[in-house]
């Protein structure tokens, strides 16, 4: 008697493989969407923690930190004068320490805050005498990642390619970037807005050298953007170094729409330094999440603004005292 062998034929096997492939293809977008939803939720939580840190800082200092501690090479703002010389040289009134550095203690990063020594070292300001980039503690801090400043949906490169004025003598110094930017207001990088208007006299909460109190934000904290998303902060064309309070790097504008591409009609040049790449930036907020971006408001709540939000509403939300009547939710 002949034995009957139970087995798949080649055709049957190919059909089963094809069905599995179709099911995987149908399931993959759902899996990716679920992962992105989880990443976006984590991002929202991180931005909210930044908001809580700002409010706790204000509760102690009675004002929010300046977007940039000092005034770069221009001492146009009275708050930037008379602060003395920092360790290693450099006018402390020209320190480039960002508002994010000031809130590190409120984010349980006291040890990192101490390494930056922002009360005695004029970080991120370059002149012939300032040697901040040779301070061992600051060098270590430059390359330290703060998890809450990195959105899980954003690029995961180890360090910034563009180091923004870290001199050639320190070209191997690693510099950390981030995924969030400070709102400096509605004035952006065009000839219509001279440098001082963008840096010092902008319409948002975070500008060079000036610290605002809650009562000066007359639009109300709940309708004033403090922080928005950035993406690919390691890239010279979208540089976002969390420690560097510099316009169009960490400090962003609503002059152009969210996710606006780099455009030669509205850009600031990032000149190559330390042998690294140069690039261009347009000062916009940009988000790795599809359809829009997460924005932190002064009262600590986070809203997802859609990419197509009107320019009028988007810009009104970035002013501290525009007195605009608006609704966006």
């Amino acid at each position: 008697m002949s034995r009957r062998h139970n087995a798949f034929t080649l055709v049957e096997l190919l059909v089963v493989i094809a069905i599995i492939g179709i099911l995987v293809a149908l399931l993959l977008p759902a899996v990716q969407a679920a992962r992105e939803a989880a990443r976006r939720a984590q991002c929202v939580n991180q931005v909210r923690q930044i908001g809580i840190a700002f409010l706790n800082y204000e509760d102690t200092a009675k004002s929010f930190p300046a977007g940039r501690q000092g005034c770069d090479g221009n001492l146009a703002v009275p708050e930037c004068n008379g602060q003395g010389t920092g360790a290693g040289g450099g006018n402390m009134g020209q320190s480039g320490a960002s508002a994010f550095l000031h809130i590190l203690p409120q984010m349980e990063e006291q040890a990192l805050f101490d390494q930056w020594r922002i009360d005695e070292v004029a970080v991120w300001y370059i002149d012939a005498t300032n040697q901040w980039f040779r301070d061992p503690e600051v060098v270590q801090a430059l390359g330290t990642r703060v998890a809450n400043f990195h959105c899980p949906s954003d690029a995961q490169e180890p360090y910034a390619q563009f180091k923004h004025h870290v001199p050639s003598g320190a070209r191997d110094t690693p510099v950390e970037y981030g995924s969030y930017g400070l709102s400096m207001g509605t004035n952006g990088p065009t000839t219509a807005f001279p440098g001082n208007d963008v840096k010092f006299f902008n319409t948002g909460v975070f500008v060079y050298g000036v610290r605002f109190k809650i009562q000066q934000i007359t639009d109300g904290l709940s309708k004033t953007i403090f922080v928005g998303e950035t993406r690919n902060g390691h890239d010279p064309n979208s540089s976002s170094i969390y420690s560097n309070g510099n316009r169009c790097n960490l400090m962003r504008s609503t002059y152009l729409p969210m996710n606006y591409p780099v455009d030669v009609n509205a850009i600031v040049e990032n000149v190559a330094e330390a042998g690294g790449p140069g690039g261009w930036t347009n000062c916009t907020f940009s988000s790795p999440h599809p359809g829009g971006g997460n924005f932190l408001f002064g009262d600590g709540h986070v809203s997802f603004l859609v990419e197509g939000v009107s320019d009028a509403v988007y810009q009104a939300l970035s002013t501290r005292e525009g007195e605009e009547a608006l609704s966006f939710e």
Side-chain angles (χ1 to χ4, degrees):
M1 296 179 62
S2 62
R3 293 182 179 178
R4 184 176 179 180
H5 296 282
N6 295 320
F8 288 112
T9 66
L10 178 59
V11 173
E12 290 173 328
L13 182 60
L14 291 174
V15 169
V16 170
I17 292 173
I19 292 172
I20 293 174
I22 292 171
L23 292 175
V24 169
L26 292 173
L27 185 61
L28 188 59
V31 172
Q32 291 175 332
R35 287 178 176 173
E36 169 55 23
R39 290 192 293 263
R40 178 174 153 185
Q42 183 178 343
C43 180
V44 168
N45 183 60
Q46 291 179 179
V47 177
R48 189 175 290 118
Q49 293 303 312
I50 293 172
I52 293 171
F54 272 124
L55 290 170
N56 287 339
Y57 179 96
E58 191 281 334
D59 187 56
T60 300
K62 306 308 176 186
S63 68
F64 295 105
R68 178 188 175 98
Q69 180 171 322
C71 293
D72 202 0
N74 186 335
L75 297 177
V77 178
E79 288 86 344
C80 294
N81 289 302
Q83 295 189 25
T85 302
N91 187 331
M92 286 302 296
Q94 296 172 322
S95 170
S98 76
F100 283 161
L101 290 188
H102 284 266
I103 63 171
L104 285 175
Q106 286 74 31
M107 299 182 69
E108 300 183 354
E109 294 284 355
Q110 182 69 51
L112 179 58
F113 175 79
D114 293 340
Q115 282 184 305
W116 275 104
R117 300 170 61 202
I118 59 175
D119 292 329
E120 55 183 291
V121 178
V123 299
W124 286 115
Y125 179 71
I126 301 298
D127 64 13
T129 62
N130 193 11
Q131 298 291 306
W132 67 273
F133 51 88
R134 299 188 189 281
D135 185 297
E137 290 184 285
V138 175
V139 168
Q140 185 176 359
L142 270 170
T144 301
R145 172 168 292 204
V146 177
N148 267 7
F149 290 151
H150 275 267
C151 173
S153 294
D154 195 13
Q156 299 300 314
E157 297 294 324
Y159 299 112
Q161 297 171 12
F162 175 72
K163 299 182 181 181
H164 195 90
H165 294 307
V166 173
S168 58
R171 67 176 56 190
D172 295 329
T173 300
V175 175
E176 259 299 340
Y177 62 99
S179 304
Y180 309 113
L182 300 164
S183 175
M184 62 181 180
T186 55
N187 294 343
T190 72
T191 55
F193 302 113
N196 282 358
D197 284 354
V198 172
K199 295 178 179 180
F200 306 117
F201 310 122
N202 220 317
T203 60
V205 174
F206 296 103
V207 298
Y208 282 36
V210 181
R211 301 161 61 96
F212 292 103
K213 302 177 184 296
I214 286 181
Q215 56 266 35
Q216 292 175 282
I217 305 173
T218 56
D219 283 353
L221 294 180
S222 66
K223 293 188 177 180
T224 304
I225 292 173
F226 273 40
V227 172
E229 290 186 283
T230 64
R231 60 180 172 181
N232 297 328
H234 66 287
D235 191 297
N237 291 317
S238 49
S239 176
S240 183
I241 298 170
Y242 79 82
S243 59
N244 183 2
N246 190 287
R247 59 95 169 86
C248 296
N249 166 59
L250 190 69
M251 297 161 65
R252 301 300 178 105
S253 165
T254 58
Y255 175 69
L256 294 171
M258 186 192 329
N259 294 329
Y260 195 86
V262 175
D263 186 300
V264 294
N265 295 316
I267 53 179
V268 169
E269 185 176 9
N270 280 333
V271 180
E273 293 125 354
W280 303 88
T281 179
N282 57 17
C283 292
T284 61
F285 290 104
S286 57
S287 172
H289 306 296
N294 293 313
F295 286 83
L296 168 72
F297 288 77
D299 65 345
H301 87 271
V302 179
S303 287
F304 187 80
L305 300 186
V306 297
E307 196 171 80
V309 62
S310 75
D311 290 345
V313 169
Y314 186 49
Q315 292 174 5
L317 289 172
S318 71
T319 65
R320 63 183 181 273
E321 52 184 9
E323 300 182 0
E324 306 93 344
L326 55 89
S327 176
F328 67 98
E329 293 184 328

